[in-house]
Amino acid sequence: MEQYLKDFLEGQLITLKQMTSSDLETFVKIESENSTLLLANDEMPFPNTFEDHASFFQSISGKKEEFIFGIFEKTSQQLIGSCGVYAINWKNSTCFVGISIGEGWQGKGFGTDAMRTLITFIFDYIAINKIKLQVFSFNGSAIRSYEKCGFTKEGVLRHELFRFGKFHDIVLFGLLREEWSELSR
């Protein structure tokens, strides 16, 4: 029990916690970066307005069917990204996860640490058996990070995304509770 209290939402490099209104400006900056626009979702990569981001930010609540966390660098407590659990299917015990890391923090292990921390939260505190995610086939660094976290490639949606003047695949990954239990021993 003491270990759960000590490590709750704490990774090696990051802490996951609720964002506050003082984090809004940094959140908007990260969500407006080119890497977020082009790599984080399959919508048209058109920048949202500050008001769009503020509206989403204000809607974040722990009393909904999705959980959004700020990713804070552990030493400085600076907001460096966000991650979340969404599309929870209680009947089948599945959910999706997503993550966004600021450009200056990418490639340094923060995303992998945040994802591992989020996975631990899901499997320790939510009755979920399978975590799913989607990633664009050209996002090799994200794919490597997800594989480090134990995700298994389950399929490919061929030519599902139009970016950079051509169609690309979306790769589907999954992680089962039993697989995570084996990895985290």
Side-chain angles (χ1 to χ4, degrees), residues 106-167:
Q106 294 174 8
K108 300 175 182 175
F110 291 101
T112 301
D113 190 41
M115 184 57 72
R116 285 182 176 140
T117 305
L118 183 64
I119 293 166
T120 299
F121 167 75
I122 293 167
F123 286 143
D124 283 355
Y125 298 98
I126 307 175
I128 293 294
N129 187 52
K130 182 179 182 180
I131 301 171
K132 303 184 280 186
L133 63 82
Q134 300 182 124
V135 61
F136 305 152
S137 59
F138 55 81
N139 193 348
S141 59
I143 290 171
R144 285 187 298 280
S145 175
Y146 299 141
E147 289 172 338
K148 284 182 198 174
C149 291
F151 282 91
T152 300
K153 180 179 170 182
E154 294 187 336
V156 175
L157 300 174
R158 299 175 307 137
H159 288 209
E160 188 78 8
L161 174 77
F162 188 76
R163 284 282 191 284
F164 317 118
K166 64 182 189 174
F167 288 93

Side-chain angles (χ1 to χ4, degrees), residues 21-32:
S21 57
S22 65
D23 299 312
L24 177 59
E25 191 172 315
T26 304
F27 175 80
V28 170
K29 180 182 173 290
I30 292 168
E31 292 300 310
S32 299

Side-chain angles (χ1 to χ4, degrees), residues 53-70:
H53 286 298
S55 176
F56 171 79
F57 190 87
Q58 296 302 324
S59 74
I60 296 171
S61 168
K63 300 193 182 340
K64 294 188 174 187
E65 293 294 309
E66 57 187 33
F67 306 93
I68 310 295
F69 294 100

